[in-house]
Amino acid sequence: MTESVIKQKVDLIAECIFDKVQKTEWDSFGLYSGEFGRLLFLLYYSRYSQSEKHALLTEQYAVKLMEQFAEKENQHTFCSGLSGILYLFDFLREQSIIDLDISDVQPLLENYIVSKMRWDIRQMNYDFMHGALGVGLYFLKRRTNPEYIRELIDFLYDTAEKDKIHQIFKWESVIDHEKNLIGYNLSLCHGISSIIIFLSRVVRIGMSDEEIREMLSGAVRYVLSQQKDSVQFGSFFPNFIIKNLPESVSKSRMAWCYGDLGIGLALWQAGKALEKMEWKEKGLEILLQSTQRRTYHDSYAIDAGICHGSAGIAMTYRRMFFETQRDEFKDTALFWINQTLDFSSHEDGLAGYRTFVKDCWKCDYSLLTGISGIGLVLLSYLEDDQQEWDEMLLLS
């Protein structure tokens, strides 16, 4: 696809989102799921377009959001609530994109999300998108309250199942609430890969005591112990392991959320954090081999969103190209950018896009599964920027 085709698609996405945000039908404020994810795209798009009209509309939208979010948003999660929104504010300030001043309410909001983090800890809910680790990611970004990070580290250490002989750490979670299936989730979005990335970030900011290093190393060893024969199995890793049901293990998809991409990236980051070349090499092997998974049968990709679609795949390979400068990642990112454009084939979609959710197709404006995220990935590719925003999706 040519640059002009990408530009036209980004412009169409922006038109859809500008039209949406000028209405007052707000469903949620969340970074991944709601209004602040749309704002992130519009801030980047306005800077790209150099249009006074776009800049004004984006500023007006930001003002409206800031007037209401602190009063109306009662969720605390990284996906849909305050910890993700507060992380976004720090990111935007750090990148000199916009300074959204919340100094008058920030202490109150921080106290609230800490209280909810502690509630999640009591519920044994470490999930970074919907539980305690999301709050931890915000305080890692802030670097202002190491005591909250220590609480999370102690929680992870105390709740891990430890195999001292094999030096393994693993964490149990609910795999399927409806069927009450318990097991070990390997994924980046909800599972042990996100714990590995969280602990790698802890090490990167200088909190690197023996307990942290032991736990990070143990989590990596557990994930590696679940590796399959990728040629026969179809992927290096399953999505999860269900207790007492080993036959339930099946090939994982190509996606940001579940499967080899997130696991390979977690191993890469852990290897960098603890200077373990063998982990980096394993992560690289997994990710390089995954570049060959381009058909539907190999990837299971049927739509374009960041979470489980082609834009998220392209985003991941771009990050690995920045990390390694390997042409395989650059070429594969372009393949999935083109696939993202091809997926805009729905006449009743938003700029041609619809998202497949629970056996039906839906129009979706969000960052994680909808056109805000698709637009952001396409815009970063068009601008040939460094995709700095992907840190909010655990990639950097």
Side-chain angles (χ1 to χ4, degrees):
M1 295 286 184
T2 64
E3 182 177 305
S4 63
V5 175
I6 300 176
K7 182 182 184 303
Q8 289 170 9
K9 187 57 64 178
V10 170
D11 290 341
L12 282 173
I13 289 171
E15 285 180 23
C16 289
I17 297 175
F18 276 122
D19 182 62
K20 172 69 172 176
V21 303
Q22 289 177 78
K23 302 172 183 176
T24 56
E25 302 166 9
W26 293 358
D27 42 22
S28 76
F29 289 93
L31 172 60
Y32 284 2
S33 61
E35 303 297 333
F36 278 99
R38 296 167 202 167
L39 177 63
L40 177 63
F41 168 76
L42 292 180
L43 288 167
Y44 272 92
Y45 181 79
S46 297
R47 191 168 64 173
Y48 153 77
S49 73
Q50 297 290 298
S51 162
E52 289 186 12
K53 175 186 175 183
H54 293 153
L56 179 60
L57 287 172
T58 302
E59 181 181 352
Q60 291 172 343
Y61 178 46
V63 168
K64 289 180 181 178
L65 290 179
M66 295 301 289
E67 287 173 348
Q68 298 189 46
F69 91 94
E71 178 182 343
K72 293 187 176 180
E73 183 54 72
N74 58 13
Q75 294 193 63
H76 69 289
T77 65
F78 201 86
C79 174
S80 304
L82 289 169
S83 56
I85 294 168
L86 295 175
Y87 191 112
L88 173 66
F89 293 165
D90 266 25
F91 172 81
L92 294 173
R93 188 179 305 114
E94 181 180 85
Q95 295 293 320
S96 301
I97 295 173
I98 190 173
D99 188 352
L100 300 171
D101 182 16
I102 57 164
S103 55
D104 56 334
V105 296
Q106 191 157 359
L108 184 64
L109 296 177
E110 289 182 350
N111 287 338
Y112 176 75
I113 64 174
V114 168
S115 71
K116 299 299 285 186
M117 178 191 80
R118 290 169 176 160
W119 185 86
D120 281 329
I121 287 173
R122 291 193 295 273
Q123 302 301 311
M124 306 285 283
N125 177 17
Y126 65 77
D127 191 314
F128 106 83
M129 284 178 59
H130 305 303
L133 284 188
V135 178
L137 287 170
Y138 166 67
F139 285 109
L140 275 180
K141 181 72 170 173
R142 291 288 290 170
R143 300 194 186 188
T144 53
N145 297 87
E147 67 274 19
Y148 301 145
I149 306 304
R150 177 52 62 182
E151 273 191 63
L152 276 172
I153 291 166
D154 291 344
F155 160 61
L156 290 172
Y157 195 91
D158 293 341
T159 57
E161 293 182 27
K162 306 173 187 70
D163 178 344
K164 293 293 188 179
I165 295 175
H166 299 99
Q167 297 179 297
I168 278 175
F169 280 63
K170 61 183 179 180
W171 290 264
E172 185 180 282
S173 58
V174 179
I175 304 299
D176 189 319
H177 287 272
E178 291 182 4
K179 298 178 180 178
N180 195 30
L181 295 178
I182 307 298
Y184 307 97
N185 193 324
L186 302 182
S187 74
L188 183 148
C189 62
H190 304 301
I192 294 173
S193 290
S194 64
I195 293 177
I196 289 171
I197 291 172
F198 175 77
L199 293 173
S200 297
R201 286 192 181 186
V202 169
V203 171
R204 277 164 43 190
I205 68 165
M207 296 177 67
S208 186
D209 60 35
E210 186 57 36
E211 183 178 278
I212 294 167
R213 298 171 73 89
E214 178 190 12
M215 187 159 45
L216 176 52
S217 297
V220 168
R221 289 191 191 96
Y222 174 68
V223 169
L224 290 175
S225 74
Q226 300 306 310
Q227 181 178 326
K228 306 297 180 184
D229 181 327
S230 63
V231 175
Q232 293 185 7
F233 188 67
S235 62
F236 278 86
F237 296 94
N239 291 321
F240 40 72
I241 293 86
I242 297 174
K243 275 190 168 182
N244 303 320
L245 286 174
E247 70 277 6
S248 66
V249 167
S250 60
K251 168 184 171 181
S252 60
R253 69 193 306 165
M254 285 275 288
W256 169 84
C257 53
Y258 280 91
D260 287 356
L261 294 187
I263 294 170
L265 196 92
L267 296 174
W268 175 265
Q269 290 194 27
K272 287 175 63 179
L274 291 186
E275 299 181 344
K276 297 279 191 179
M277 184 57 68
E278 65 270 28
W279 296 351
K280 290 178 65 177
E281 289 175 350
K282 175 54 69 174
L284 196 59
E285 177 192 353
I286 293 163
L287 289 158
L288 282 171
Q289 186 157 325
S290 73
T291 63
Q292 305 303 310
R293 296 174 62 184
R294 297 188 177 191
T295 67
Y296 167 74
H297 175 75
D298 287 331
S299 70
Y300 301 147
I302 61 171
D303 63 11
I306 281 180
C307 182
H308 52 260
S310 57
I313 301 172
M315 170 189 70
T316 305
Y317 286 124
R318 284 198 79 219
R319 172 50 52 200
M320 286 308 297
F321 173 69
F322 299 145
E323 294 279 322
T324 67
Q325 294 298 300
R326 294 192 64 136
D327 287 339
E328 297 98 324
F329 294 132
K330 183 178 183 180
D331 295 343
T332 308
L334 176 58
F335 171 85
W336 287 104
I337 288 290
N338 286 329
Q339 188 63 64
T340 299
L341 296 170
D342 289 343
F343 279 144
S344 63
S345 58
H346 298 269
E347 292 183 3
D348 56 348
L350 302 170
Y353 291 107
R354 289 175 76 84
T355 301
F356 192 72
V357 182
K358 294 182 179 178
D359 300 322
C360 66
W361 292 93
K362 297 182 178 180
C363 287
D364 187 337
Y365 291 88
S366 74
L367 180 71
L368 187 63
T369 53
I371 61 170
S372 294
I374 296 166
L376 198 55
V377 170
L378 292 176
L379 184 55
S380 274
Y381 187 86
L382 184 64
E383 292 264 79
D384 194 25
D385 67 19
Q386 293 298 300
Q387 199 174 274
E388 292 91 349
W389 49 266
D390 71 13
E391 70 173 75
M392 288 179 282
L393 291 142
L394 302 190
L395 295 199
S396 59

